[in-house]
Amino acid sequence: MTAATLKFAIRNLRHGLAGFKIFLACIALGVTAIVGVDSLARALTDGLAAQGRTLLGADLVISRMHRQAESHELALIQSKGRITEIISLRGMARAHQKAALVDLKIVDQSYPLLDAPVFNPALPLQKIMEEKDGVYGVAADAALFVRLGAKVGDQIALGDTVVELRATLVNEPDRIGAGVTLGPRVIMNRAAFEKTGLFRPESLIRYAYRLLLDDPRDENLGAIDGSLNSTLTAAGFELRGRGNVSPQLTRNIERFSQYLGLIGLTALIIGGLGVANAVMAYLDRRRKTMAIFKAIGASGSYVFQIAFIEVMMLAGLGTLIGILLGVSLPYLVAVLASGILPFPIVPHLYPDRLLLGALYGLLTSASFALPILGRAHDLPVAILFRDDTSQDQIRVRQRYLAMTILVSLVLFAIILFAVRERQITLFVMIGISLAFLLLKGVGVLIMRWARSVPHPKRTEWRLALGNIYRPGSITPALTLALGLGVTLLVAISATQNNLVQLVSSGLPTKAPSFFFVDIPARDVAAFDQFMKEKQPDARVSHVAMLRGRITEVKSMRAETVVAGDNARWVLDGDRGITFSTTVPEGSRIVEGTWWPADYSGPPLVSLEADIAKGLGLTLGDMIKVNVLGRTIEAKITNLRRVDWQSLGINFVLVFSPNTFKGAPVSYLATLTNENGAQSAESETQLLVDAAEAFPAISAIRVREALETVREMIDQLALAIRGVAGITILASILVLAGAVGASQRRRIRDAVILKTLGATKARLLSAFLTEFAIISLVASFFGLISGLLAAWVLVTLTFKTAFTWPLGDPLITTIVAVLVAIGLGLIGTWRVLEEKPARHLRAS
Amino acid sequence: MINGVKAVDVQSLHIELGRDASHVHVLKGIDLVINQGEAVGLVGPSGSGKSTLLMAMAGLERAGSGHIKIADQDITTMSEDELAQFRGRQIGIVFQSFHLIETMTALENVAVPLELAGHRDPFQRAQKELEAVGLKDRLSHYPSELSGGEQQRVAIARALAPDPTLLLADEPTGNLDATNGDTIVELLFALKRERNMTMVLVTHDLRLAARCDRTIQLNSGRVITKNDSSS
């Protein structure tokens, strides 16, 4: 590039952006999607981090399962600042012949250290919880009132005691920091809790000590975190600072935003088609100017450079617009959704992500524009004095094809470098490339077919077929744009259908109806008998369960282990663990051997195979787990594959039975109806009966849990469809651009045909037939490739059987065809309105 | 002034265009010589090949066989880029349809070949050329704001700005009315005299042809008559 070529390019652009509006919109949309999703995800995670103190309810939370802090441990924590103790566990609330799983939060006099919960009626918490007439009070989520059919003032049973519902919990600022809740929240004090009888050593109780530092500066927090960590993690405590409120939530936001970003990338690549069409139209408009340049002394490469600079300047403008819109998204969401999200959004500008968005926009534009602009090099000057259609057959020089390949490879490399989920991204990129090739091939086939059809008698059909295969037809562009858009929509819709079906009907037919947790060992036999009487056709399985934390892996502290994405969660916090003499149901050994039933040597452990791979563990490696205050060191003797989808009782860690000999354990049980799922009413009755008979046991209805999962899938799908909507918009713009690019020729043809006697109706019929044929074929292949893409995603990523849905995808395809024909109709109408004389005089 | 030095030397030129059913043998063995300083008119009926011959001299049409030497340089062996650069320095072309760049002013249009050739003060030079063709007051006008005659004058200024040795004009008055056409003709010949250029015109206008030093008549791709014998 020289100063002169830059100067010529600017001169050419002086006359406005006519003909480039769709080009700008296509690039801007794609960049908006990518930058917007990325910025929003960052703003969400930054919001979590920025509000960490409030969300956590402290600067630091030190917690462990099963055991309260010993006095020396408590003294150590208390020496660093103000503390409050929070006890949490699950329980069953009963009232009015109904029962509901609840998440209990037992607080002390010091709670809260920071922002207080909000209640209705607006009473102080200590007042709500105080004892009145021998009954303690509680505050609860509105959902509990609904489930039990209760109101403020009603009494409910919790364990062995009765408490009074004195207020609805309207807002709980530190809820996210407490982790995932399965049931409605109930807040009570320690005295009330002790009356419930749920306070047992083996119960799944978490003791959390929230610490508010006198000096909350980050350096001080870091120092205290470090000093407490070294002493307390060995005792089984987990420490979480305000900068890491919910690691799982943060990971989920990042992961989800990456998936949305992939859809945004698809929008950008579809937008690339719009770039290609716009550049072709630009070449068409500027060919005379380029020929003049060549006639008066410019070389072919000079002409190419001017054109390339012009196009890239416009790409830069489109990219800039996209970036501006994208970075505005979190600000917009912050304003519109401030009351909906459980934590605030903290929008920022992230220069590295903006640069990435800019690179995506510019490189995509370049890779689609280069092979077309390359034609400018060999544009024949003869068009100045002869009507030359050989422009359409110009072969692009190898240097421009090489540049295209290089730019595309750089774009691919940057995409793969920037994402975390590289494997899925690679699949998606390959999938898009394959879809491209397939649809390009389909475009060629349509044209060949149209050429081979014997001349139909009706003129309109002859015209339509001729328009399909003639040089410069819109068939390739329309096939690609429409086909890709339909592919994406069908893939999303079919994947969602499969996931919802899996959750709604696929799993429950073989999954348990209930999980019962915290069954005291002494009650197991009575519980079995109870279930046999109430559900004679059901199968009850139970295993001992404790909670423990992995503290060391191969002599490395768990916090320092670099784990794969799929295994990191195992090191975060405590896990359910069990012991067994035999291989658990639903597991199969893939490496190593199981211990003998009478094994009594040092502790051995069986690990889930994928987790082992993610943690870099193999047979013979040692891990340390803290359980009930004891650190157990065990050797890995076998690896298992677990069928998680059976929803049976399965654990990542299974120990040899002698490991926990003499330890207080509780049991986890499942109830599975061999004859298929029972009715909702029958399940509800069982829930109530079990809660009455065994107040200490908590019951989780799988049906409800799956319903929650399904709602989550639907909500996530909404977000996905939102971003996919941008992709569809890009497809529509590309379609509109393709139709617009062919306007000049259509107008010329229509003018001549009108002069020769063709009516508007016949011309309209010809154009619509052309669009209908191309749209139907392109959409059909889009439907096929979309279903194939969904099949790959569901079977390979989610590892489940694929159901071939037809309803939604078919509707999607039909709508796409109608939209394409509609756009064609609008474009055609303009053509038919043109007055012939104006065009005949000009030529 | 005609000095006997060959400005254009065409030897056994054949040009064929199109493919299959549209194949046409446009020029069938053209031999001619044009001397430095001559004004030559190419005449003949439509389809005789005169415009093609002109464009071949400009390097805008590729010869199928034969040679064309301009200022003693064989342009049939040059690459596209070499031709473009050669044209920019040695040949000025005036088209029937003017072919100005719509998005540039008159001044910018004339400056383009100078900028392409790397001249130091292209706009200053361009302004002089426009003044020479009587368009001092139209420097910042776009082609759409100029009359046909004015556009052709801009085209002439652009053609002459690099000070070429050869001026080729394809029906320069074809799109102009009689009055404007006469003005353009007068301008062309005046400038030709002033700069001692060689000029080759394609024209249907017999009066214009008569003003040339000689005419070469073509028919069906062959030279039928010429005033001078080829050397």
Side-chain angles (χ1 to χ4, degrees):
Chain A
M1 184 178 90
T2 62
T5 53
L6 179 60
K7 216 168 33 175
F8 284 129
I10 293 172
R11 262 188 231 166
N12 283 339
L13 286 174
R14 238 180 3 204
H15 282 256
L17 306 173
F20 282 107
K21 294 190 186 75
I22 288 184
F23 175 112
L24 289 173
C26 284
I27 292 298
L29 268 180
V31 174
T32 299
I34 291 170
V35 172
V37 163
D38 207 35
S39 300
L40 185 59
R42 282 279 192 103
L44 285 169
T45 52
D46 280 1
L48 271 177
Q51 295 293 309
R53 214 180 190 220
T54 305
L55 296 173
L56 206 56
D59 291 310
L60 193 61
V61 173
I62 304 113
S63 66
R64 77 178 166 195
M65 292 295 293
H66 297 301
R67 286 169 53 235
Q68 278 181 283
E70 309 276 336
S71 53
H72 66 277
E73 291 163 342
L74 198 59
L76 175 61
I77 300 169
Q78 277 173 326
S79 69
K80 308 298 178 188
R82 285 171 53 208
I83 73 166
T84 182
E85 182 189 61
I86 311 265
I87 300 172
S88 28
L89 71 158
R90 294 195 177 104
M92 295 300 292
R94 302 171 329 267
H96 308 308
Q97 306 290 317
K98 294 185 180 122
L101 179 71
V102 292
D103 269 276
L104 297 173
K105 181 174 179 178
I106 296 97
V107 300
D108 62 14
Q109 295 280 346
S110 312
Y111 179 85
L113 294 175
L114 292 166
D115 296 9
V118 176
F119 303 105
N120 179 21
L123 296 167
L125 177 58
Q126 300 303 330
K127 190 130 180 78
I128 291 170
M129 299 188 299
E130 70 184 3
E131 190 182 15
K132 274 187 207 167
D133 301 326
V135 177
Y136 285 95
V138 299
D141 277 342
L144 183 62
F145 289 81
V146 170
R147 286 186 199 184
L148 296 181
K151 56 186 187 307
V152 170
D154 284 356
Q155 290 187 353
I156 63 173
L158 264 177
D160 296 331
T161 193
V162 164
V163 293
E164 186 180 322
L165 291 168
R166 295 212 182 123
T168 313
L169 178 59
V170 172
N171 181 33
E172 190 184 355
D174 55 349
R175 185 169 201 140
I176 287 182
V180 173
T181 55
L182 284 182
R185 168 77 80 218
V186 171
I187 302 181
M188 61 200 310
N189 61 22
R190 182 69 180 253
F193 174 58
E194 284 175 4
K195 288 178 78 176
T196 62
L198 299 174
F199 197 179
R200 303 188 314 276
E202 68 277 17
S203 296
L204 295 175
I205 301 178
R206 174 174 293 282
Y207 296 89
Y209 300 90
R210 295 190 183 174
L211 174 62
L212 199 67
L213 301 176
D214 297 326
D215 174 6
R217 285 176 303 149
D218 287 343
E219 313 84 80
N220 191 38
L221 173 61
I224 288 174
D225 191 341
S227 76
L228 288 177
N229 216 317
S230 54
T231 314
L232 296 176
T233 47
F237 282 98
E238 174 198 344
L239 276 71
R240 193 141 47 94
R242 61 177 185 243
N244 193 19
V245 172
S246 177
Q248 188 61 39
L249 181 58
T250 304
R251 265 203 297 280
N252 287 343
I253 291 172
E254 284 171 0
R255 185 173 271 168
F256 187 60
S257 75
Q258 292 231 322
Y259 292 142
L260 290 184
L262 283 177
I263 298 177
L265 206 54
T266 310
L268 189 60
I269 289 171
I270 290 179
L273 291 176
V275 166
N277 289 340
V279 171
M280 263 196 286
Y282 157 86
L283 209 62
D284 201 38
R285 284 195 309 277
R286 290 278 169 80
R287 61 193 200 133
K288 189 180 135 186
T289 302
M290 290 177 184
I292 294 170
F293 264 86
K294 287 179 101 176
I296 57 179
S299 63
S301 64
Y302 202 93
V303 167
F304 162 82
Q305 280 176 49
I306 296 171
F308 184 67
I309 292 169
E310 271 188 68
V311 167
M312 290 313 294
M313 284 172 75
L314 288 164
L317 177 61
T319 300
L320 183 62
I321 294 170
I323 287 174
L324 288 173
L325 290 173
V327 299
S328 311
L329 182 63
Y331 292 92
L332 193 66
V333 172
V335 165
L336 294 175
S338 60
I340 301 168
L341 288 171
F343 52 89
I345 296 180
V346 180
H348 276 312
L349 290 181
Y350 302 99
D352 58 329
R353 307 316 283 187
L354 301 187
L355 175 65
L356 199 61
L359 280 174
Y360 284 160
L362 293 172
L363 289 173
T364 304
S365 304
S367 62
F368 279 91
L370 274 167
I372 297 166
L373 289 176
R375 289 188 205 170
H377 188 122
D378 291 295
L379 196 72
V381 189
I383 61 169
L384 292 177
F385 51 91
R386 195 170 54 237
D387 191 21
D388 192 333
T389 57
S390 64
Q391 173 192 341
D392 301 320
Q393 285 109 44
I394 296 173
R395 288 194 66 181
V396 179
R397 291 187 180 217
Q398 280 189 352
R399 72 173 87 159
Y400 300 117
L401 293 175
M403 282 164 70
T404 305
I405 292 170
L406 182 64
V407 168
S408 303
L409 285 175
V410 169
L411 176 62
F412 264 37
I414 291 176
I415 292 169
L416 283 180
F417 176 74
V419 298
R420 277 175 57 176
E421 306 280 345
R422 292 210 169 103
Q423 199 178 38
I424 285 211
T425 304
L426 191 60
F427 280 152
V428 170
M429 293 286 108
I430 291 172
I432 292 174
S433 306
L434 288 174
F436 240 89
L437 288 172
L438 170 72
L439 290 164
K440 260 195 115 57
V442 168
V444 168
L445 285 175
I446 295 174
M447 291 169 83
R448 280 199 190 154
W449 167 81
R451 195 192 295 272
S452 68
V453 170
H455 271 190
K457 287 207 173 72
R458 291 189 64 169
T459 314
E460 301 88 302
W461 293 354
R462 249 195 341 270
L463 281 172
L465 287 174
N467 277 346
I468 288 174
Y469 67 76
R470 65 190 284 177
S473 104
I474 64 166
T475 306
L478 187 57
T479 311
L480 263 175
L482 187 60
L484 278 176
V486 170
T487 300
L488 180 70
L489 273 182
V490 166
I492 290 174
S493 146
T495 304
Q496 187 194 351
N497 272 349
N498 267 270
L499 288 180
V500 167
Q501 221 184 39
L502 178 71
V503 169
S504 306
S505 55
L507 291 177
T509 53
K510 53 179 180 169
S513 310
F514 284 94
F515 279 78
F516 295 95
V517 296
D518 258 344
I519 304 173
R522 62 175 186 273
D523 287 343
V524 170
F527 179 81
D528 279 352
Q529 185 59 35
F530 174 85
M531 285 299 162
K532 236 189 220 128
E533 288 165 11
K534 292 286 178 185
Q535 299 280 316
D537 295 330
R539 181 167 58 89
V540 178
S541 309
H542 43 65
V543 292
M545 180 170 151
L546 306 111
R547 303 281 300 181
R549 244 187 109 223
I550 298 177
T551 56
E552 268 186 39
V553 168
K554 284 198 297 193
S555 306
M556 282 189 296
R557 286 181 49 197
E559 310 84 69
T560 61
V561 171
V562 176
D565 276 348
N566 67 330
R568 198 170 297 124
W569 62 275
V570 165
L571 301 176
D572 279 342
D574 46 76
R575 311 261 64 80
I577 56 177
T578 189
F579 50 87
S580 178
T581 51
T582 55
V583 179
E585 199 181 310
S587 288
R588 65 182 174 86
I589 298 180
V590 293
E591 231 179 291
T593 52
W594 200 259
W595 42 80
D598 59 352
Y599 177 77
S600 59
L604 303 174
V605 66
S606 168
L607 192 55
E608 200 275 334
D610 287 335
I611 297 295
K613 190 173 167 195
L615 295 176
L617 291 169
T618 54
L619 298 185
D621 286 339
M622 304 295 290
I623 62 169
K624 280 189 185 170
V625 179
N626 189 287
V627 182
L628 293 170
R630 267 180 60 209
T631 298
I632 314 270
E633 187 172 28
K635 182 160 73 169
I636 300 172
T637 52
N638 64 77
L639 304 179
R640 285 170 293 125
R641 281 257 178 261
V642 178
D643 178 15
W644 297 109
Q645 285 181 22
S646 66
L647 291 189
I649 308 178
N650 268 298
F651 293 84
V652 168
L653 294 159
V654 178
F655 287 82
S656 51
N658 60 316
T659 308
F660 300 108
K661 202 169 177 177
V665 298
S666 62
Y667 280 75
L668 164 71
T670 58
L671 180 81
T672 309
N673 289 91
E674 303 289 343
N675 298 330
Q678 48 181 313
S679 68
E681 297 74 27
S682 162
E683 281 186 4
T684 304
Q685 191 55 54
L686 179 64
L687 194 72
V688 172
D689 293 344
E692 288 289 345
F694 301 95
I697 298 175
S698 301
I700 300 165
R701 275 173 83 167
V702 172
R703 183 195 296 266
E704 272 179 16
L706 290 178
E707 188 54 43
T708 307
V709 170
R710 203 174 80 159
E711 278 169 16
M712 244 170 38
I713 291 175
D714 284 344
Q715 283 170 358
L716 292 176
L718 205 59
I720 291 172
R721 279 175 200 262
V723 179
I726 293 181
T727 309
I728 300 313
L729 192 53
S731 284
I732 291 175
L733 281 175
V734 171
L735 283 176
V739 170
S742 66
Q743 285 297 72
R744 198 173 65 88
R745 282 202 188 156
R746 279 179 203 278
I747 289 172
R748 194 175 63 197
D749 292 350
V751 158
I752 294 166
L753 287 165
K754 273 181 171 180
T755 314
L756 299 172
T759 61
K760 269 189 195 175
R762 291 187 93 163
L763 290 173
L764 186 66
S765 174
F767 290 142
L768 286 181
T769 304
E770 176 195 348
F771 282 112
I773 292 173
I774 303 170
S775 306
L776 277 168
V777 178
S779 299
F780 173 73
F781 278 94
L783 172 68
I784 303 288
S785 52
L787 287 174
L788 277 173
W791 175 78
V792 168
L793 200 60
V794 170
T795 54
L796 293 184
T797 307
F798 299 113
K799 293 185 172 48
T800 184
F802 185 77
T803 314
W804 296 87
L806 278 183
D808 274 352
L810 259 182
I811 293 171
T812 304
T813 308
I814 291 168
V815 169
V817 170
L818 291 174
V819 166
I821 292 176
L823 279 173
L825 184 65
I826 294 168
T828 302
W829 207 259
R830 285 185 53 203
V831 166
L832 296 178
E833 291 301 307
E834 288 288 326
K835 299 282 180 278
R838 187 164 84 82
H839 295 276
L840 291 169
R841 262 202 301 278
S843 62
Chain B
M1 180 156 115
I2 303 166
N3 59 17
V5 173
K6 291 181 194 173
V8 179
D9 184 2
V10 180
Q11 299 164 8
S12 304
L13 181 66
H14 287 263
I15 290 182
E16 296 172 49
L17 298 173
R19 285 193 305 217
D20 302 324
S22 60
H23 177 259
V24 175
H25 195 165
V26 183
L27 295 180
K28 300 166 184 169
I30 302 287
D31 288 286
L32 63 86
V33 169
I34 300 173
N35 291 317
Q36 179 66 40
E38 275 197 285
V40 172
L42 296 178
V43 299
S46 285
S48 58
K50 49 188 192 299
S51 290
T52 305
L53 176 57
L54 196 78
M55 292 302 128
M57 290 181 196
L60 297 177
E61 278 289 11
R62 280 295 195 179
S65 63
H67 294 275
I68 303 174
K69 285 186 184 173
I70 307 291
D72 221 26
Q73 291 194 62
D74 190 345
I75 65 171
T76 53
T77 59
M78 289 183 188
S79 68
E80 285 293 329
D81 287 351
E82 285 168 342
L83 273 173
Q85 285 167 346
F86 184 78
R87 268 197 302 274
R89 292 192 312 267
Q90 301 280 357
I91 304 174
I93 310 171
V94 177
F95 296 95
Q96 179 179 353
S97 303
F98 325 136
H99 286 322
L100 298 179
I101 298 172
E102 298 292 328
T103 51
M104 294 188 191
T105 62
L107 183 67
E108 287 167 341
N109 263 283
V110 176
V112 169
L114 300 170
E115 291 175 280
L116 290 172
H119 275 251
R120 249 190 347 183
D121 299 307
F123 288 92
Q124 225 173 1
R125 178 76 180 266
Q127 186 171 340
K128 274 200 184 126
E129 294 295 340
L130 281 167
E131 285 167 3
V133 300
L135 290 177
K136 191 172 66 165
D137 299 325
R138 293 281 190 266
L139 301 183
S140 58
H141 283 63
Y142 287 93
S144 57
E145 296 166 339
L146 301 171
S147 68
E150 288 170 338
Q151 287 188 58
Q152 194 61 299
R153 279 192 270 168
V154 172
I156 291 169
R158 182 182 68 187
L160 297 181
D163 211 9
T165 57
L166 176 65
L167 178 68
L168 305 173
D170 186 12
E171 305 265 16
T173 60
N175 279 11
L176 301 172
D177 57 71
T179 310
N180 274 314
D182 288 343
T183 310
I184 293 300
V185 169
E186 287 303 324
L187 184 61
L188 276 173
F189 278 92
L191 290 168
K192 180 252 174 216
R193 267 193 312 271
E194 221 173 86
R195 299 175 190 223
N196 194 31
M197 276 184 319
T198 308
M199 189 163 72
V200 182
L201 296 171
V202 165
T203 183
H204 280 117
D205 188 338
L206 294 176
R207 286 184 311 146
L208 173 56
R211 287 192 64 165
C212 297
D213 297 317
R214 62 184 171 112
T215 56
I216 296 173
Q217 191 172 12
L218 281 87
N219 198 342
S220 298
R222 290 192 170 88
V223 173
I224 304 301
T225 60
K226 40 191 169 181
N227 286 353
D228 200 3
S229 55
S230 52
S231 50

